[in-house]
Amino acid sequence: MKKIVLILILAISACSPQKSITDRVTLTSPDGDLSMEFLLEDGIPMYTLKHKGTDVLLPSRLGFEIRGSMKSALIRFDGDHITKSDVKPSFLLDRNFELLCTSNSSFDEYWEPVWGEECSIRNHYHELLVELKQKESGHLLNIRFRLFDDGLGFRYEFPDKQRLTHFAIKEELTEFAMADDCFAWWIPGDYDTQEYEYGECKLSEIEENFKEQIWANSSQTPFNTSGVQTSLQMKSASGLYINIHEAALVNYPCMHLIVDGKHHTLRSWLTPDAQGWKGYMQTPCHTPWRTVQVAESAVEQLASRLILNLNEPCALEDVSWIKPVKYMGVWWEMITDKSSWSYTDIPSVKLGEFDYNQATPNGTHGANNTKVRAYIDFASEHGFDALLVEGWNIGWEDWANKSKDYVFDFQTPYPDFDIEALNQYAHSKGISLIMHHETSSSVRNYERHMDAAYKLMNKYGYTSVKTGYVGDIIPRGEYHYGQWMVNHYLHVVKEAAKHKITVNAHEAVRPTGLCRTYPNMIGNESAMGNEYQAFGGIGPKHVTILPFTRLNGGPMDYTPGIFEQNLKEWSGKNSWVNATIANQLALYVTMYSPLQMAADTPDHYREHMDAFQFIKDVAIDWEESRYLYAEPGDYLIIARKAKEDGQWFCGGVTDDNAREFDICPDFLEAGEYEAIIYADSDDAHYKTNPKGYSISKHKVTPESTIHIRMAPGGGFAISFKKI
Ligand code: NOJ
Ligand code: CA
């Protein structure tokens, strides 16, 4: 494990009993700009937050509704219905409290992530622990607040030694009473997917805009919602960037936010389980951190590491096997319908009863020996680390949307995929194959086979798995973001770590910084990724918002690098990639991930080898990152310094407006550099001329000014080479 440099732990004050109930306890951030108050008003716990004296959060309530205890299920039949009268009335744990005591402490350390946007992160906060007792019930509830320079984190803790031992949460009652009608970049509340484009409007307009913005161009079924997902990026009337999310989501359901637009108040709404309950707890235990990041500028928000800091340090003893990965894939061909995951066109297959060796192949199966070898050759020739191969295993004939339990065995290759020979060939060329485990959300089936599947990976030398959770969850009735699934995703990461396997989970719950604790969690999707460019297209602003929202909790396997926009002509898929080639190059810098894919096909890269050079050159692990210009929904420009050799790269993206910027590379150390600029050509446009780019070389110093123009839906990428 990397060495953690601890600077100081200050002033841990003893827990001091309150003689008379103190109604207000205050806490300030290390730099003094943020201040919060904990209030107990008539026994009701609340908190507030201010930035330089300006309200961020007005008094906001805290607490829970707890399910009454279960009796044995008594089934009644009234002639028409069967009812189960099995639950005593729920009770509220949000009132009638007395303050037992409060205590303060401070913490300051620098820690080194295994991979990341920088090589050293400061974790500096002031802490307040509030200990409460509900008067009549005697239930104990503690609330721990941590105030950093870049925001607030707090969590509920249920201490040991009380009557409350095993209980289920009916609802968490946390409020975020925004001080004004903030502008928000949001996606609708949904227990099963984050794969939406973002709405942009004030909190009070979300409900109305939901129908207009989200459903207008969507193929999904409309439904009414007043809920949104986190990480929710907002901007206050006073210009503060405020972000609400959660950190360290472990053994608890994922939190959504119900929007009370009239009062611009957000309330927690947890993902239920199959029975409608929200979280099963056993004391001592605690919730994830609820987070409120506050920044004076958009670039400051991008630099915030509050979510990572609220996670536990690395839990793995040995991390030497965890490496950032640049990869290609036999994948985009399937996404675009150019080839298939399945080996036959038979509509229904029962594993174990079906003999693939006797079956007629469909002739379009992507993961075949010849094609995989050709991809290995290309990936190896151009310096990649790995190759993902999807559709290698039996069961793809009827995998999706059938609510089928035993759909894959994760072990048996199709007849035209020679797992042993292909791995040997890949290794001989310096390439690792990435295993694909699409579970089709039959999660219990995955758990049946997981151990054997990881042993198979070890046997053939696979070091990384991409998991997927398409469709409704089995056990039936569970949701992708419920506590049961949250526990499953982490179980996979921990089990994989025992086999020295890194995990990239698609359709899993959105990240909350757990990659600090488990750095083999090297990627996640959990948002609308580049693949949606093949499912009808994504508006260009999407990639200017994701770094503020989805990426706040951890890296995304966005799968950039699509060079052929006209899918209809190429693959027959009726979709257009809404991005210029320069925009796709920029994403390797703007969308931070230690796992970066060159997602297009070798043939498309061969047509633009000069632009492809940037994908080959760009680093994937960073010593330092500088956020130069940003506004969510509009544009984003970031510069990063490679951890390996100190080389700087810069990338920028814009929405569907052309934009111009002056970049001062004052991040460079003194000296002369060759800047290779991959820019949109003057006539580039994501709709009409997405392949219009120019590559130029310039001599620059830290004092130079580089003028950049980005086309609509465009961007730019620069690599700086020391002369
Ligand atoms: C959806 C994933 O996002 C995609 O990457 C994958 O290819 C398919 N599911 C099939 O597993
Ligand atoms: Ca997906």
Side-chain angles (χ1 to χ4, degrees):
M1 200 193 309
K2 300 257 168 163
K3 204 172 123 227
I4 290 170
V5 187
L6 188 65
I7 294 187
L8 70 162
I9 301 175
L10 282 172
I12 300 180
S13 66
C15 189
S16 48
Q18 309 290 308
K19 287 199 183 73
S20 59
I21 289 173
T22 311
D23 286 325
R24 288 166 189 274
V25 193
T26 57
L27 184 68
T28 50
S29 59
D31 67 2
D33 286 353
L34 285 172
S35 58
M36 65 148 293
E37 262 189 342
F38 171 78
L39 310 139
L40 198 62
E41 236 173 58
D42 297 329
I44 295 175
M46 288 186 275
Y47 71 110
T48 64
L49 183 63
K50 286 184 201 294
H51 176 268
K52 292 185 177 166
T54 303
D55 287 326
V56 175
L57 295 177
L58 301 175
S60 303
R61 291 187 63 161
L62 296 157
F64 293 89
E65 185 172 3
I66 308 289
R67 184 185 74 176
S69 57
M70 300 287 278
K71 289 192 287 184
S72 61
L74 180 63
I75 294 171
R76 293 175 199 281
F77 181 59
D78 67 5
D80 285 328
H81 304 99
I82 292 178
T83 53
K84 258 176 39 174
S85 69
D86 54 354
V87 180
K88 286 188 188 162
S90 61
F91 61 92
L92 289 162
L93 199 60
D94 72 337
R95 59 195 65 193
N96 299 329
F97 280 109
E98 60 179 318
L99 187 59
L100 295 180
C101 66
T102 64
S103 49
N104 287 85
S105 60
S106 298
F107 189 74
D108 193 358
E109 69 169 5
Y110 285 85
W111 61 278
E112 294 175 9
V114 174
W115 40 259
E117 293 182 75
E118 55 271 297
C119 59
S120 175
I121 294 176
R122 187 175 189 186
N123 184 10
H124 188 196
Y125 59 80
H126 289 171
E127 183 173 286
L128 165 68
L129 178 66
V130 175
E131 299 186 31
L132 302 170
K133 181 177 177 186
Q134 198 175 35
K135 283 181 202 147
E136 274 140 40
S137 69
H139 295 322
L140 301 176
L141 176 66
N142 298 344
I143 309 173
R144 190 179 297 273
F145 296 94
R146 286 186 182 166
L147 199 49
F148 301 76
D149 292 345
D150 51 349
L152 170 68
F154 62 93
R155 73 180 186 192
Y156 301 94
E157 298 180 353
F158 297 91
D160 211 354
K161 301 197 178 61
Q162 60 166 319
R163 272 178 43 218
L164 215 49
T165 53
H166 301 77
F167 62 99
I169 292 170
K170 185 169 178 194
E171 196 51 82
E172 181 184 318
L173 305 174
T174 303
E175 278 185 355
F176 305 88
M178 308 311 298
D180 62 59
D181 191 6
C182 294
F183 193 86
W185 290 268
W186 55 276
I187 54 172
D190 189 317
Y191 300 149
D192 282 306
T193 185
Q194 296 236 138
E195 296 181 7
Y196 292 100
E197 286 194 72
Y198 284 83
E200 299 178 287
C201 65
K202 288 184 173 174
L203 291 173
S204 61
E205 298 163 350
I206 285 183
E207 201 146 354
E208 204 34 51
N209 274 248
F210 183 81
K211 291 171 207 143
E212 286 167 26
Q213 294 200 28
I214 298 294
W215 299 122
N217 303 313
S218 170
S219 57
Q220 288 162 301
T221 318
F223 59 91
N224 287 325
T225 187
S226 50
V228 296
Q229 303 199 44
T230 72
S231 136
L232 175 68
Q233 183 62 51
M234 291 175 280
K235 189 175 179 179
S236 72
S238 58
L240 288 176
Y241 292 79
I242 305 169
N243 188 302
I244 297 183
H245 192 33
E246 62 182 311
L249 173 59
V250 177
N251 196 14
Y252 200 79
C254 160
M255 178 178 72
H256 301 266
L257 298 170
I258 297 295
V259 185
D260 172 354
K262 198 164 155 208
H263 304 100
H264 30 87
T265 291
L266 305 160
R267 291 198 182 84
S268 55
W269 183 263
L270 304 178
T271 308
D273 74 351
Q275 303 183 70
W277 305 112
K278 302 292 180 88
Y280 295 81
M281 314 291 281
Q282 181 178 359
T283 53
C285 56
H286 56 76
T287 66
W289 296 93
R290 278 62 191 93
T291 61
V292 186
Q293 286 154 283
V294 183
E296 288 183 6
S297 65
V299 289
E300 259 182 45
Q301 166 59 32
L302 292 173
S304 169
R305 298 292 172 260
L306 181 137
I307 302 292
L308 286 176
N309 279 329
L310 283 167
N311 275 270
E312 296 298 318
C314 183
L316 308 179
E317 282 292 313
D318 171 20
V319 292
S320 59
W321 51 278
I322 300 173
K323 302 263 187 285
V325 175
K326 203 187 280 183
Y327 75 107
M328 294 189 70
V330 184
W331 175 74
W332 188 240
E333 302 196 8
M334 285 84 134
I335 291 290
T336 52
D337 291 347
K338 187 91 173 153
S339 59
S340 65
W341 281 277
S342 65
Y343 176 69
T344 79
D345 283 340
I346 291 161
S348 168
V349 151
K350 287 192 176 171
L351 285 202
E353 296 174 23
F354 183 76
D355 184 358
Y356 278 97
N357 292 309
Q358 303 301 320
T360 311
N362 58 16
T364 57
H365 181 226
N368 64 70
N369 292 319
T370 313
K371 188 176 301 229
V372 173
R373 278 173 189 262
Y375 269 82
I376 291 171
D377 290 343
F378 186 86
S380 165
E381 188 186 333
H382 297 289
F384 285 82
D385 305 303
L387 179 75
L388 166 73
V389 186
E390 297 203 0
W392 66 276
N393 55 325
I394 59 170
W396 284 90
E397 278 69 16
D398 56 354
W399 69 284
N401 306 318
K402 303 281 188 300
S403 197
K404 186 176 161 181
D405 189 342
Y406 193 168
V407 56
F408 294 112
D409 70 4
F410 308 97
Q411 282 156 91
T412 312
Y414 276 130
D416 59 349
F417 183 86
D418 186 334
I419 189 168
E420 185 171 1
L422 287 171
N423 275 285
Q424 273 172 10
Y425 186 67
H427 297 154
S428 75
K429 298 234 159 185
I431 296 287
S432 301
L433 295 187
I434 298 179
M435 176 65 89
H436 184 223
H437 290 167
E438 172 56 64
T439 67
S440 76
S441 288
S442 181
V443 180
R444 76 168 187 168
N445 185 48
Y446 189 39
E447 291 190 352
R448 276 180 196 131
H449 294 98
M450 223 164 72
D451 191 52
Y454 295 161
K455 284 183 178 138
L456 183 88
M457 288 181 66
N458 286 162
K459 179 175 171 194
Y460 291 115
Y462 286 88
T463 54
S464 193
V465 66
K466 171 180 171 180
T467 57
Y469 298 87
V470 171
D472 293 341
I473 302 290
I474 301 178
R476 297 190 177 90
E478 291 296 335
Y479 295 109
H480 280 72
Y481 305 156
Q483 184 184 24
W484 196 87
M485 283 303 294
V486 164
N487 289 346
H488 165 80
Y489 303 126
L490 190 54
H491 177 62
V492 168
V493 169
K494 288 181 181 175
E495 287 303 304
K498 291 180 192 161
H499 295 266
K500 294 195 168 35
I501 290 169
T502 58
V503 180
N504 167 25
H506 278 224
E507 294 89 40
V509 71
R510 76 278 188 291
T512 56
L514 282 171
C515 57
R516 176 180 178 188
T517 315
Y518 304 99
N520 66 314
M521 196 176 174
I522 202 165
N524 266 117
E525 185 194 44
S526 310
M528 192 179 255
N530 222 14
E531 65 186 17
Y532 274 81
Q533 300 288 15
F535 305 160
I538 320 176
K541 72 176 183 192
H542 191 60
V543 292
T544 71
I545 301 173
L546 284 174
F548 291 93
T549 53
R550 164 62 187 75
L551 271 63
N552 191 25
M556 177 172 177
D557 183 32
Y558 187 74
T559 68
I562 301 303
F563 279 14
E564 178 51 67
Q565 300 78 20
N566 191 344
L567 301 183
K568 191 156 191 196
E569 198 166 288
W570 173 61
S571 72
K573 188 120 185 180
N574 191 14
S575 200
W576 181 268
V577 179
N578 292 317
T580 66
I581 285 184
N583 172 287
Q584 291 287 296
L585 296 182
L587 299 176
Y588 292 88
V589 182
T590 61
M591 300 279 276
Y592 166 68
S593 177
L595 180 76
Q596 285 287 18
M597 184 179 204
D600 214 332
T601 61
D603 282 351
H604 291 153
Y605 290 135
R606 280 193 194 99
E607 287 168 23
H608 302 281
M609 286 310 283
D610 53 355
F612 185 57
Q613 189 62 42
F614 183 79
I615 300 179
K616 291 170 64 173
D617 290 346
V618 68
I620 45 174
D621 197 17
W622 307 102
E623 183 180 317
E624 190 184 338
S625 294
R626 297 278 186 96
Y627 306 91
L628 305 180
Y629 299 97
E631 184 62 17
D634 293 345
Y635 55 85
L636 188 72
I637 299 180
I638 299 175
R640 303 191 197 268
K641 184 183 185 185
K643 204 189 260 180
E644 196 180 3
D645 59 6
Q647 193 185 341
W648 281 88
F649 296 86
C650 183
V653 288
T654 178
D655 61 0
D656 45 16
N657 296 302
R659 296 180 195 272
E660 297 186 34
F661 287 92
D662 283 329
I663 292 164
C664 306
D666 53 5
F667 40 81
L668 298 171
E669 278 162 29
E672 288 194 333
Y673 294 80
E674 180 183 62
I676 308 175
I677 305 179
Y678 303 75
D680 290 319
S681 59
D682 291 345
D683 56 353
H685 189 290
Y686 73 102
K687 280 283 178 211
T688 52
N689 184 20
K691 293 192 179 67
Y693 63 85
S694 66
I695 301 174
S696 54
K697 295 184 176 174
H698 307 261
K699 198 187 274 184
V700 299
T701 70
E703 289 75 40
S704 303
T705 300
I706 304 172
H707 186 75
I708 288 289
R709 178 184 176 276
M710 296 187 273
F716 72 92
I718 309 177
S719 59
F720 295 92
K721 291 192 176 156
K722 191 101 201 260
I723 298 175

